Amino acid sequence: MIFVLTLKGFSQEARSLTLQQAEQEFLQRNFRLLAERYRVNAAEALVDQAKKWDNPTLSGTLGFGSLDKVQPFHIGGGGQLEGSVEQIIQMAGKRNKQVQLARWNAATSAAAFSELMRTLRLELRSSFYQLFFLKESEKTLRNQLSNLQRILEAYRSADASGSVAHADVIRLQALQVGIANDYTDLRQQEMDASLRLQLLLGSKEPVTPDAGPDVLQRYVLGRYDLATLTDTALANRPDLQVADRRLEAAKMNNRLQKALAVPDLHLGAAYDRQGSYTNNFIGLTVGVDLPLWNRNQGNIRASAQEVKAQAAELDEQKLIISAEVANALEKIQFLEKGTEWPDLKSFNAEYTRLIEEVAANFRKGNISLLQFIDYFNSYSEHILHANKFLSDRVLAYEELNYTTGTQLFNNPQ
């Protein structure tokens, strides 16, 4: 009964996708990527905004008569009308510096988008392959439970007729419970990986990964060494580009803050109908801010310190990248030692045939119950461990893709 409930409890229709199809859907439908794209567009719009000139200021005075005789809006014959228009002329190249700062901020936003894509792509591929190998393990355990169920039913019938010891039935039931528990744990992991993959794809239904029989052949270290991989990472990592652009933006902001200490020029024209020494007076107005108390000293000092902070973060990021690449390469080299084992694909096939023969011989009474249980438990553990090793190996290569910021391996065909 445990076996039947375990299998039926997880039936769910899912779409089958290759990695290439999954990545296409990911790029088109992942909501976090879409949101970051909008932020990139917003940053680019701010570049255009920074290019705009300040609007001119128009002001006027409408005649209201005098204290002796109030005449609201008396601007006709004998009335008074005064007006002026003024335009701020930014000095010390403030406008150009603001445009350049906006451009660096937009470049930072674009690099942040690439960094988010790098992170989510690793999460996508990790979930894809974890789910694939979990399903491979699930198939084996499900077949084992099916075989064990048939054997157990036969033993129950024999037990009822007194042909076998009741203790043997109990031992077989205990074996069934153990394997069913492994199967349930496996399905819980599978559902978690399936949910992560579904959310990354923005899919309304679950997805079944189709990795293909040659999945492991795509991952070969080949000619890559630590120096080459580190140089590749330093040239391509988006998070390093983010740190670099933030440093440049901080430098530009420091130059802008120094420029803001320079007074701006106020240039305009004025008209006065009859309030001046002559009627219909026109004049040129010129003004300048007097930097007596506020010369932007605090912002200049703060921006200079921010430059130093961003420079330190850039140096730290370079160190982090070098360490991450070395660590990822070391993981691959360690796991590749496992290839000294017999070929797992052929070994698994041979082991599967062996366990089928064991089950057949057990039904015929050619091997003992203890031998049968030992074979069954060993086979279950081997399949789980082998698929975990294969999953870890693939994910180690994907981590190296991630740390270098490139697609060195597993370019879907």
Side-chain angles (χ1 to χ4, degrees):
M1 180 63 67
I2 294 174
F3 164 63
V4 175
L5 289 176
T6 302
L7 288 184
K8 289 185 176 180
F10 297 106
S11 58
Q12 217 174 2
E13 187 175 353
R15 292 185 300 128
S16 178
L17 289 179
T18 64
L19 180 61
Q20 183 180 23
Q21 292 170 333
E23 289 198 330
Q24 288 174 348
E25 289 196 14
F26 161 72
L27 294 174
Q28 295 170 0
R29 297 164 58 177
N30 182 272
F31 293 111
R32 291 175 64 185
L33 277 184
L34 289 174
E36 195 64 29
R37 280 197 187 100
Y38 295 138
R39 293 189 178 97
V40 172
N41 294 338
E44 291 174 350
L46 292 178
V47 176
D48 293 333
Q49 181 61 37
K51 296 177 182 178
K52 307 299 182 184
W53 285 79
D54 292 324
N55 290 324
T57 301
L58 177 65
S59 62
T61 302
L62 305 180
F64 242 65
S66 66
L67 293 176
D68 297 330
K69 183 179 181 180
V70 177
Q71 294 178 287
F73 304 109
H74 181 41
I75 60 176
Q80 166 68 347
L81 174 64
E82 179 185 348
S84 65
V85 61
E86 182 181 81
Q87 175 69 54
I88 296 180
I89 308 297
Q90 293 184 335
M91 307 301 289
K94 295 187 185 73
R95 179 170 165 273
N96 288 336
K97 291 180 175 63
Q98 289 169 344
V99 172
Q100 293 174 33
L101 178 59
R103 284 174 176 162
W104 280 117
N105 288 336
T108 301
S109 182
F113 172 79
S114 298
E115 171 62 10
L116 177 62
M117 183 182 296
R118 181 180 75 103
T119 302
L120 292 180
R121 177 176 276 118
L122 175 65
E123 189 175 344
L124 171 74
R125 291 189 167 190
S126 297
S127 299
F128 184 92
Y129 285 120
Q130 284 174 351
L131 184 57
F132 172 77
F133 286 110
L134 286 170
K135 284 185 174 294
E136 291 294 300
S137 297
E138 180 208 346
K139 292 175 186 176
T140 300
L141 291 187
R142 188 169 62 243
N143 290 335
Q144 277 192 287
L145 285 172
S146 296
N147 292 333
L148 188 57
Q149 183 71 16
R150 289 193 294 270
I151 293 173
L152 186 56
E153 288 172 355
Y155 258 69
R156 283 172 178 158
S157 297
D159 181 38
S161 63
S163 302
V164 298
H166 183 68
D168 290 347
V169 177
I170 298 300
R171 292 293 303 273
L172 286 174
Q173 286 179 327
L175 176 61
Q176 183 191 44
V177 170
I179 296 178
N181 184 62
D182 291 340
Y183 181 82
T184 302
D185 291 342
L186 189 68
R187 285 295 291 147
Q188 293 289 343
Q189 298 175 44
E190 186 180 330
M191 285 189 292
D192 290 341
S194 178
L195 177 61
R196 290 194 300 270
L197 184 59
Q198 181 180 344
L199 294 178
L200 285 165
L201 297 177
S203 176
K204 294 182 180 179
E205 64 274 351
V207 171
T208 296
D210 177 12
D214 60 340
V215 56
L216 298 179
Q217 297 177 7
R218 300 172 184 171
Y219 296 94
V220 179
L221 191 58
R223 66 185 183 281
Y224 297 114
D225 57 23
L226 179 58
T228 301
L229 293 170
T230 302
D231 290 342
T232 300
L234 293 174
N236 294 280
R237 279 278 289 261
D239 53 344
L240 184 62
Q241 295 171 8
V242 170
D244 179 68
R245 282 152 178 74
R246 284 177 176 168
L247 174 59
E248 294 302 323
K251 291 178 179 178
M252 181 53 63
N253 183 55
N254 179 248
R255 291 194 287 270
L256 174 61
Q257 295 305 320
K258 292 177 179 178
L260 289 175
V262 178
D264 291 328
L265 180 66
H266 300 256
L267 188 64
Y271 167 78
D272 193 331
R273 172 175 288 181
Q274 55 182 9
S276 182
Y277 68 91
T278 182
N279 292 337
N280 295 316
F281 169 82
I282 58 174
L284 175 69
T285 63
V286 179
V288 64
D289 299 324
L290 298 178
L292 297 179
W293 299 284
N294 182 1
R295 294 188 298 278
N296 209 34
Q297 303 96 318
N299 287 332
I300 292 173
R301 290 199 302 272
S303 63
Q305 294 302 310
E306 183 63 21
V307 170
K308 295 179 181 179
Q310 292 297 337
E313 291 184 2
L314 178 62
D315 291 338
E316 180 189 32
Q317 197 60 37
K318 291 178 180 178
L319 178 62
I320 290 173
I321 289 174
S322 298
E324 287 180 348
V325 171
N327 182 260
L329 180 61
E330 185 178 1
K331 286 182 181 178
I332 290 178
Q333 292 171 338
F334 174 76
L335 290 171
E336 285 293 1
K337 294 179 181 178
T339 58
E340 298 171 1
W341 304 351
D343 178 61
L344 281 177
K345 185 176 181 180
S346 59
F347 180 71
N348 287 344
E350 184 179 356
Y351 207 159
T352 300
R353 287 193 298 270
L354 173 63
I355 205 67
E356 290 172 352
E357 293 174 1
V358 167
N361 280 299
F362 177 66
R363 284 192 293 267
K364 296 175 182 178
N366 295 334
I367 63 174
S368 68
L369 176 63
L370 291 178
Q371 288 177 309
F372 173 74
I373 292 175
D374 181 62
Y375 274 115
F376 241 67
N377 282 329
S378 297
Y379 179 65
S380 300
E381 292 177 1
H382 164 73
I383 292 300
L384 293 175
H385 292 163
N387 281 324
K388 184 179 184 304
F389 167 77
L390 295 175
S391 177
D392 289 345
R393 182 177 179 273
V394 170
L395 295 183
Y397 276 94
E398 284 299 338
E399 185 178 347
L400 189 57
N401 275 339
Y402 173 76
T403 57
T404 58
T406 57
Q407 298 303 307
L408 301 172
F409 314 102
N410 194 33
N411 293 317
Q413 301 297 323

